[in-house]
Amino acid sequence: MIEGGQHNGYRHILKYTSIFGGVQGLNVLAALVRNKVAAVFLGPAGMGLASILTTTMNFLTQIAGMGLSVSAVRHVSEYFEEGDLKKILHFVCVIRLWCMFAALFGLLLSVFVGYWTLAPAVVITIIGGGEMAILKGARQLHSLAAVQSIAAIASVLICVPLYWMYGQDAIVVVINLMAFAAMLPAIFAAYRLYSPRLVCSSSVIGEGIGMMRLGIAYSLAAMVGSGAELLIRWWLERESGLSEVGLYNAGSLLTVTYMGLVFAAMDNDYFPRLSAFQEVGKTNEVVNRQMEVLLWLVSPLLVVMILCLPWIIRLLLSSDFLPVVTMAQIAAVAMVLKAATLPVGYITLARGRSLAYLCLESAYFLVFVPLVMAGYRQWGLLGTGIAILLAHVFDFVMIHLYAYKTFGYRLNARNLYIIIAALAVVSAALCLTLSLFS
């Protein structure tokens, strides 16, 4: 029998996972339309170029942004839990001022490294990220859902006509306009909640430096991730050309990226909620509930994806992308492990262990990059799928061991059985499709 507290905990998770699951469903639908249009009007080579430019923009944003959008959530969430409006208002000023500094740095950095055409997107993304952090920390979940929905719809309205009329020449314009479309509703919602105030004092600057300690570590970890993805795409271009980059990107898109949108549904509510708890027993309870809900949500999606992937690719992309089917199917199995790892990984961020978070993320990508390169050289795109799966096995073991040793986290027996069952079902779907289409 579920106790009242447990029942309410699951109800809360399901409620906000449903809200943001619907939003992420809209995001997935928007992404499907954008990528179908890109596949038709850009082809594999054009999608490869768009992938490199987008990854480069993310890389520059993460360098300049210094992780402020993550560390800000943690601080605002703590003040919100205390109910101290004065502290919240003061810290909102800190966030906005430091985001302006970061945006200026992003502008200069983009120009310095020769990607000045991406500078508007870098600046806009940093400013919008700060406003989104304010909304997350203040638990304005309905506003967040509205902002993300508007951004998803706007991205389609921008992407479709520009790719249709101008093809590859529109890639940079699309990246910049999509960033702008995501920033505007975020600013509108956050400014309605906390109106802008110009405050610049030694205390504001000092608090910003304190906030950056976690933020810089997160930024460095994100840079390692984006740098690793950029390195793989550059390496694939040298090995086999832009078309192969486009195929690899499509495979990652169909599994890692689209499932990542599902995982992002929990980020808006789960991270601020986890940051408010320090006690071991409560942390274990919150993490295990979140993991259980996430596993039940993603496992059926992965089975359907694996079974229907050849038709999904023809429908959402084009038959030119069929060589990536097996890679994407194997990578889909890895998403079960990601669903069982991500809620645990958030404990490190929620506790402010910035150096540990950086080391864990770096260790994953130090394993991921050579595995992908070795897998591709040995078995082509099939090998990259195997590499993604092996990297997630390593990540699962590493994150759970660290959380066990450092925070006293315990994976409960119920979730262990669910993980095993999910892996068995998804793997069975993979074996079935491989036998039918071999």
Side-chain angles (χ1 to χ4, degrees):
M1 182 175 177
I2 298 175
E3 297 176 8
Q6 280 186 307
H7 181 73
N8 291 334
Y10 282 114
R11 181 184 296 167
H12 177 92
I13 294 169
L14 285 170
K15 176 184 176 182
Y16 286 106
T17 301
S18 298
I19 291 172
F20 287 102
V23 174
Q24 298 307 327
L26 180 60
N27 279 331
V28 170
L29 182 61
L32 294 177
V33 174
R34 292 197 308 267
N35 287 299
K36 177 66 176 181
V37 171
V40 172
F41 295 111
L42 304 183
M47 286 191 72
L49 177 61
S51 169
I52 290 174
L53 288 174
T54 302
T55 307
T56 302
M57 188 275 289
N58 290 334
F59 185 60
L60 294 172
T61 301
Q62 285 151 2
I63 294 174
M66 297 174 284
L68 293 174
S69 61
V70 174
S71 55
V73 173
R74 180 171 178 265
H75 285 78
V76 175
S77 180
E78 288 176 357
Y79 295 143
F80 183 84
E81 197 68 25
E82 294 171 7
D84 193 330
L85 180 60
K86 186 176 179 180
K87 283 186 177 179
I88 294 174
L89 291 172
H90 177 72
F91 205 78
V92 165
C93 293
V94 175
I95 294 167
R96 286 173 173 161
L97 179 64
W98 277 88
C99 281
M100 293 302 295
F101 291 156
L104 178 59
F105 177 46
L107 173 63
L108 297 174
L109 179 65
S110 302
V111 174
F112 178 75
V113 299
Y115 283 96
W116 60 270
T117 56
L118 297 175
V122 173
V123 170
I124 288 166
T125 302
I126 291 169
I127 293 172
E131 302 304 323
M132 291 290 283
I134 293 168
L135 293 173
K136 288 179 184 179
R139 315 288 173 84
Q140 298 296 307
L141 302 180
H142 289 91
S143 294
L144 278 168
V147 167
Q148 293 173 358
S149 299
I150 293 168
I153 295 168
S155 70
V156 174
L157 296 177
I158 290 166
C159 171
V160 173
L162 288 175
Y163 281 158
W164 173 48
M165 290 187 290
Y166 301 107
Q168 292 189 24
D169 293 337
I171 290 173
V172 172
V173 176
V174 166
I175 291 171
N176 285 308
L177 287 179
M178 283 174 56
F180 186 72
M183 179 194 70
L184 273 184
I187 285 181
F188 178 77
Y191 278 21
R192 283 188 65 189
L193 182 64
Y194 303 118
S195 58
R197 294 187 300 160
L198 290 176
V199 178
C200 187
S201 65
S202 57
S203 65
V204 170
I205 294 173
E207 288 182 53
I209 292 171
M211 178 177 64
M212 283 172 56
R213 290 173 184 167
L214 175 61
I216 288 175
Y218 178 82
S219 179
L220 288 172
M223 284 164 52
V224 170
S226 292
E229 290 292 346
L230 197 55
L231 177 61
I232 289 170
R233 284 161 173 78
W234 280 343
W235 180 81
L236 281 173
E237 183 185 5
R238 291 187 62 187
E239 287 283 308
S240 306
L242 274 174
S243 293
E244 203 72 1
V245 177
L247 290 172
Y248 169 80
N249 189 65
S252 298
L253 198 69
L254 289 164
T255 51
V256 179
T257 304
Y258 286 159
M259 284 296 107
L261 291 173
V262 177
F263 298 142
M266 76 172 192
D267 177 61
N268 299 291
D269 170 60
Y270 173 62
F271 178 50
R273 192 158 39 88
L274 184 63
S275 298
F277 298 116
Q278 299 295 325
E279 195 265 326
V280 173
K282 186 64 178 177
T283 298
N284 285 350
E285 184 182 2
V286 170
V287 173
N288 281 320
R289 284 179 186 171
Q290 190 72 45
M291 185 190 302
E292 182 181 347
V293 170
L294 201 56
L295 285 165
W296 283 118
L297 285 173
V298 303
S299 299
L301 293 175
L302 292 170
V303 171
V304 172
M305 177 181 288
I306 289 173
L307 293 174
C308 302
L309 201 55
W311 296 280
I312 291 173
I313 287 178
R314 287 190 181 94
L315 176 65
L316 301 181
L317 298 172
S318 72
S319 56
D320 293 338
F321 292 87
L322 285 174
V324 85
V325 166
T326 308
M327 168 199 162
Q329 288 172 328
I330 296 172
V333 180
M335 294 303 99
V336 174
L337 294 172
K338 184 163 186 172
T341 303
L342 203 59
V344 182
Y346 270 91
I347 302 174
T348 308
L349 269 180
R351 295 294 174 273
R353 300 291 187 94
S354 53
L355 182 60
Y357 179 78
L358 174 60
C359 291
L360 291 169
E361 287 292 293
S362 299
Y364 167 75
F365 284 107
L366 284 172
V367 170
F368 175 74
V369 172
L371 275 176
V372 169
M373 290 179 174
Y376 181 80
R377 277 192 167 159
Q378 188 68 31
W379 298 295
L381 290 170
L382 167 65
T384 63
I386 295 171
I388 290 170
L389 176 58
L390 292 176
H392 278 82
V393 171
F394 168 78
D395 197 41
F396 174 85
V397 173
M398 175 181 66
I399 294 296
H400 277 259
L401 280 177
Y402 177 78
Y404 173 77
K405 293 288 186 182
T406 309
F407 306 113
Y409 168 73
R410 300 290 188 276
L411 175 68
N412 62 25
R414 178 186 178 90
N415 279 355
L416 179 61
Y417 296 146
I418 294 172
I419 293 168
I420 293 170
L423 283 171
V425 172
V426 174
S427 298
L430 174 63
C431 292
L432 177 62
T433 56
L434 290 178
S435 63
L436 288 176
F437 293 101
S438 60

